[in-house]
Amino acid sequence: MTQQVEGRFPGHAPTTSDHDCSELFARDPFGRHGPAVRDLFARLSRIPQIGQFVVYCMEPYRTWCPALIVERDGQRTLELLAGAVFTTREEVEVEVFRRRWERYFGSPAPELTAGGTTPSRIYGRG
Amino acid sequence: MRVQSIFAYLDRMDARPGESVGVHVSNERPDDPVDIRLLRIRSADSNPWGRGVLTAPVNAIRPVVVKAEAQTTNIGSFFWHRFGADAPAALTITFLFQPTRLPDIEGCLVGLGQTTVTQDGTRHVAVDGSQHERGIAKLTWYRFVLSFDGAGRSAVLCVCPAGGDPGSPVIAALDLPPLAAGDLLSIGACPLVGGDASARPRASLCCDGKLEDVQIFVGASTAADCRDFALGRTPVDKACYARWSFARDFSSDRIVSTVEPPREAWLENLPTRSIRGARWDGSEIDRRRSPESYAAVHLHSDDLLDCRWPEATRLHLPADLESGIYAVRVANALDADLPILHVLPSGPTRNRIAFLAPTATYLAYANFRQIEYSPNYEISLGPILNYGPEDIALSLHPEWSGSTYHRHHDGSPILFSSCRRPMLNIRPESVLWTFTGDMFVPDWLDATGRTFDVITDEALDREGKDLLRGYSVVLTGAHPEYCSHRMFDALETWVNSGGRLMYLGGNGFDSSVTFHPDIPGVLERRWVGAGPCIVQAGEQIHALADVVGGELTESNRPRSRLVGSMLVAVAFDRCEPYARAEGASDPRAGFAFRDLQEGDVIGAYGAYGGGAAGLEIDAVIDDAVPPEDRIVLLSSFDHSMAYHASVKETDTDTAPPPCRSDVVLIRRPEGGAVFSVGSIAWPLALPWKGYDNDISRMTGNVLDRFLDPEPLW
């Protein structure tokens, strides 16, 4: 039996600042962001773990996909959304951010393009 | 998604040439033959600059092909005694029990021959189906009195809060054979006994709770007698058959009766000892001074010492096998598992360099179940949490227990970790803050043409400073966080008498652990004061040794005295480079900078997040090493907010500790020395541009200088 939590969190609507922050975040997902971006990130993190989107590393340094934390037979596990495979950690970070946005606000996420990638900044398994 | 179909574990984490290692396999494709072979692991990470995951066959040991089936694992700890030929026909059992969790389904409190006393999720206790009128509640101590007549016809059960009113016992009619030689008494489980009657039983229907003061008396008891027992009065006509106390031999699974003859009982699956018992009143917080206050054993329905899968094969290591890091590759037609084996040097030391594999830290983190952590964990680390295949496999196998960063079913912290289970994050290409990250150091030694021996934390704990004799330089891995008192003392004695330590990681030598004195690959760790799984007040003393748990600082072994720096920050968003510190211009340290090419900023690269300083970082914040004995060569800068937010302040600070990693060179007595980088990410930068970079060059410069016996200054 798989339990999933869907849908919007009542009373949460994105503000103009949230939209601006999402663009700042996407430009450099591991960048130095101000309090407003960190606040948005924290709000999207602090939602129930069951139904939360996370990053799944398919091959270290090479491919990632979004994953969903679900509960099966009383155990938390991951359901991979393997249709969306990314070749940089920044891209998958932004994709998961978008999915969290949609779950939290219940509205489509802005179009976001991941930036911030440099050849010397790679990500193994953390 | 398809999940790995074969898993394995070894019965130890290290071995010497000439010794043998048991390989235990669970194969979920039993029609596939299982190929087992030893591989040398040279590199465990597939970063784009390095050598990739690099293994080599060991031709001295022939691969074997075996049949292996899927195995089950019986979890849960319990107490048991096997009756001999003098088993009393009629008997009365009494003990104290404090439930710490009511079972989801029926749990077995007592098994005696073919009779059981069970506990269900609605608080009721029953003897063979006859329900006691009184329920039991969590976290209350109860006195249990259970009497069986010699004919197997009736049982009397009395359960009451310890020291309280016993009420009316339940009397159950039975139809069972009398107790016989070989029958078991168990408390906390209804054990499974296989065909071999002498074998240790396996766990089944386990309960969660604390057990204390187990006694057996000869002869059945009336309801009135049972009331007397419950009130702490022993009826005068009752002879004591056995009395088992858990207030001594805290590391042992063998409990010997305190009344003659010395009958044995056993604790299965390593339940927790050295915990507050029924008589603990808060007036004493050290079990060494008041063992009777710590006379309880905490049974958990998910304790696990040993999966007890059949041995698929036994690898006999050739006498001339080279010291190194190996994996036993266990493969069916689709998948392979790679449990790790550290082969220690045999006989006289052969190399001047040793790599100290942090096996204590591997055990402490074995089967770290990140998926069970709360959102706070992600917010504190910085980026979105990322997972890998072992997280999915672990979620499908809760029976393989968690790490010492997790809790038991009843909410109490997991204090023990054993290698006798699949440890899925201690594998190549796993997270970089444990085995995979540590392997960057031997990989670099190998890639730069240096020969070395491999030694382990457990061997250092076992053999002390004798293990280090003959080595000129010992290098650590990326994250040697856990350390026993014996390990710390051996390293400190060694560097203070001419030894040279290269601490190539971050957050090292932080917290105290104890290895099991009798069982290889088993460790105890207790969080004290702060952390995700802290023990209760008064439970800071380990069971496996008379040592204080928690940070080593608490037992007067501050890591800064050994390596000059202390942990200051933890985050996982990005890593940063270093800048030359004031000491970089000190001519005494000139050798470290020989041929460096990157200018003022060094190490702006690495296998995680683009820098050699990060993940967990240490800085010089005290004078445990006097300023005249240390030179700070490099300091990292510009760490993110996630690092700054993690900096801990203490009451004694006049200012918050700095948020940076310091690379320090330390002079010790008699020519000893320490090179301390204070960053998990340092070794992760070694392979950049094919090992041709300044982090690699500085590490090599220091190693070469450390091999020269001339004192540093």
Side-chain angles (χ1 to χ4, degrees), chain B residues 189-435:
Chain B
C190 180
L192 302 172
V193 182
D196 178 3
S198 64
R200 294 177 78 127
R202 290 171 182 264
S204 172
L205 297 174
C206 290
C207 295
D208 294 277
K210 294 180 177 180
L211 172 69
E212 184 168 332
D213 191 27
V214 180
Q215 301 178 63
I216 299 178
F217 292 89
V218 178
S221 296
T222 62
D225 289 341
C226 285
R227 284 178 55 85
D228 280 350
F229 274 119
L231 292 167
R233 298 191 293 255
T234 304
V236 290
D237 62 330
K238 293 288 183 292
C240 189
Y241 168 86
R243 176 178 294 132
W244 290 290
S245 165
F246 307 115
R248 55 186 190 169
D249 300 332
F250 286 89
S251 67
S252 179
D253 62 350
R254 178 174 173 263
I255 314 297
V256 179
S257 169
T258 55
V259 298
E260 291 294 328
R263 300 179 200 278
E264 286 177 335
W266 299 89
L267 295 170
E268 207 63 31
N269 257 342
L270 200 55
T272 306
R273 309 277 298 276
S274 192
I275 45 127
R276 295 165 7 181
R279 281 168 283 184
W280 189 81
D281 63 3
S283 61
E284 180 54 73
I285 58 166
D286 188 334
R287 71 131 168 95
R288 296 168 295 191
R289 288 198 292 262
S290 178
E292 292 302 323
S293 299
Y294 292 84
V297 57
H298 195 155
L299 309 174
H300 298 99
S301 58
D302 56 350
D303 274 327
L304 178 63
L305 170 65
D306 188 337
C307 284
R308 292 179 64 180
W309 299 347
E311 188 175 281
T313 189
R314 180 155 279 274
L315 294 180
H316 296 274
L317 306 182
D320 60 353
L321 187 64
E322 194 179 2
S323 174
I325 296 161
Y326 293 78
V328 180
R329 183 177 182 274
V330 176
N332 61 21
L334 283 184
D335 299 308
D337 196 12
L338 290 157
I340 303 302
L341 176 68
H342 302 85
V343 175
L344 307 169
S346 65
T349 301
R350 292 170 300 167
N351 286 298
R352 294 178 63 202
I353 300 170
F355 170 67
L356 175 59
T359 51
T361 305
Y362 298 162
L363 282 169
Y365 280 108
N367 292 352
F368 181 83
R369 295 172 183 266
Q370 179 175 262
I371 203 168
E372 292 175 9
Y373 270 61
S374 74
N376 289 348
Y377 179 62
E378 175 177 282
I379 292 168
S380 71
L381 291 182
I384 293 169
L385 290 180
N386 81 102
Y387 295 84
E390 73 271 22
D391 294 297
I392 294 179
L394 277 173
S395 70
L396 299 176
H397 291 283
E399 72 277 15
W400 296 341
S401 194
S403 76
T404 61
Y405 285 71
H406 296 88
R407 294 181 178 278
H408 287 289
H409 288 159
D410 69 359
S412 59
I414 294 177
L415 305 184
F416 298 110
S417 175
S418 166
C419 75
R420 294 167 184 227
R421 58 180 171 146
M423 299 191 292
L424 301 187
N425 55 342
I426 312 302
R427 298 286 190 267
E429 290 206 279
S430 184
V431 288
L432 290 169
W433 44 264
T434 183
F435 173 77

Side-chain angles (χ1 to χ4, degrees), chain B residues 99-142:
Chain B
T100 51
R101 173 177 171 266
L102 299 179
D104 300 328
I105 54 169
E106 192 172 68
C108 181
L109 277 173
V110 181
L112 181 71
Q114 295 180 32
T115 309
T116 57
V117 175
T118 53
Q119 174 194 18
D120 67 20
T122 57
R123 304 170 57 212
H124 290 107
V125 175
V127 52
D128 269 28
S130 302
Q131 210 163 79
H132 197 273
E133 64 184 21
R134 199 189 291 258
I136 59 172
K138 268 176 35 173
L139 304 179
T140 301
W141 280 102
Y142 292 91

Side-chain angles (χ1 to χ4, degrees), chain A residues 32 45-46 61 77 100 123, chain B residues 45 376 378 395 573 609 638:
Chain A
R32 295 168 200 291
S45 291
R46 198 181 292 280
Y61 307 100
T77 188
R100 287 184 176 191
Y123 284 89
Chain B
D45 185 66
N376 289 348
E378 175 177 282
S395 70
D573 53 353
D638 251 1

Side-chain angles (χ1 to χ4, degrees), chain B residues 485-545:
Chain B
H485 288 191
R486 283 200 293 253
M487 286 169 56
F488 189 97
D489 296 346
L491 284 168
E492 191 172 40
T493 303
W494 181 71
V495 297
N496 287 342
S497 54
R500 289 171 175 183
L501 175 67
M502 293 180 72
Y503 162 47
L504 297 182
N507 191 11
F509 312 105
D510 175 85
S511 289
S512 171
V513 292
T514 302
F515 287 96
H516 198 289
D518 304 315
I519 309 172
V522 177
L523 165 142
E524 178 176 11
R525 173 272 174 95
R526 294 190 182 216
W527 289 83
V528 176
C533 297
I534 57 173
V535 294
Q536 291 187 301
E539 296 188 350
Q540 73 274 28
I541 307 297
H542 283 191
L544 299 183

Side-chain angles (χ1 to χ4, degrees), chain B residues 353-664:
Chain B
I353 300 170
F355 170 67
L356 175 59
T359 51
T361 305
Y362 298 162
L363 282 169
Y365 280 108
N367 292 352
F368 181 83
R369 295 172 183 266
Q370 179 175 262
I371 203 168
E372 292 175 9
Y373 270 61
S374 74
N376 289 348
Y377 179 62
E378 175 177 282
I379 292 168
S380 71
L381 291 182
I384 293 169
L385 290 180
N386 81 102
Y387 295 84
E390 73 271 22
D391 294 297
I392 294 179
L394 277 173
S395 70
L396 299 176
H397 291 283
E399 72 277 15
W400 296 341
S401 194
S403 76
T404 61
Y405 285 71
H406 296 88
R407 294 181 178 278
H408 287 289
H409 288 159
D410 69 359
S412 59
I414 294 177
L415 305 184
F416 298 110
S417 175
S418 166
C419 75
R420 294 167 184 227
R421 58 180 171 146
M423 299 191 292
L424 301 187
N425 55 342
I426 312 302
R427 298 286 190 267
E429 290 206 279
S430 184
V431 288
L432 290 169
W433 44 264
T434 183
F435 173 77
T436 301
D438 296 316
M439 279 298 295
F440 280 75
V441 174
D443 170 39
W444 172 80
L445 286 168
D446 202 43
T448 56
R450 296 168 164 101
T451 58
F452 59 97
D453 287 346
V454 170
I455 56 177
T456 64
D457 286 349
E458 193 168 5
L460 183 57
D461 178 82
R462 206 164 49 224
E463 301 175 29
K465 66 181 190 315
D466 288 350
L467 182 71
L468 305 175
R469 187 174 296 138
Y471 291 118
S472 301
V473 185
V474 171
L475 296 84
T476 73
H479 191 200
E481 182 175 357
Y482 291 96
C483 183
S484 71
H485 288 191
R486 283 200 293 253
M487 286 169 56
F488 189 97
D489 296 346
L491 284 168
E492 191 172 40
T493 303
W494 181 71
V495 297
N496 287 342
S497 54
R500 289 171 175 183
L501 175 67
M502 293 180 72
Y503 162 47
L504 297 182
N507 191 11
F509 312 105
D510 175 85
S511 289
S512 171
V513 292
T514 302
F515 287 96
H516 198 289
D518 304 315
I519 309 172
V522 177
L523 165 142
E524 178 176 11
R525 173 272 174 95
R526 294 190 182 216
W527 289 83
V528 176
C533 297
I534 57 173
V535 294
Q536 291 187 301
E539 296 188 350
Q540 73 274 28
I541 307 297
H542 283 191
L544 299 183
D546 286 348
V547 303
V548 182
E551 293 184 4
L552 282 161
T553 303
E554 302 299 324
S555 46
N556 194 27
R557 291 171 176 83
R559 70 175 113 183
S560 56
R561 203 172 72 205
L562 181 66
V563 297
S565 55
M566 297 290 276
L567 173 72
V568 291
V570 176
F572 277 60
D573 53 353
R574 53 191 290 164
C575 298
E576 304 299 339
Y578 289 92
R580 291 169 190 248
E582 199 175 325
S585 56
D586 189 322
R588 296 172 299 174
F591 67 88
F593 293 88
R594 193 180 61 236
D595 298 330
L596 264 55
Q597 298 166 8
E598 292 168 16
D600 292 335
V601 174
I602 292 168
Y605 41 81
Y608 191 92
L615 300 177
E616 301 187 13
I617 56 174
D618 312 335
V620 176
I621 60 171
D622 62 28
D623 289 337
V625 171
E628 63 271 23
D629 288 338
R630 71 181 188 224
I631 301 172
V632 179
L633 309 178
L634 306 172
S635 293
S636 64
F637 60 98
D638 251 1
H639 285 283
S640 71
M641 188 61 207
Y643 286 85
H644 283 275
S646 72
V647 172
K648 278 193 297 187
E649 294 183 44
T650 67
D651 294 341
T652 54
D653 290 333
T654 52
C659 184
R660 63 166 192 257
S661 160
D662 287 329
V663 177
V664 197

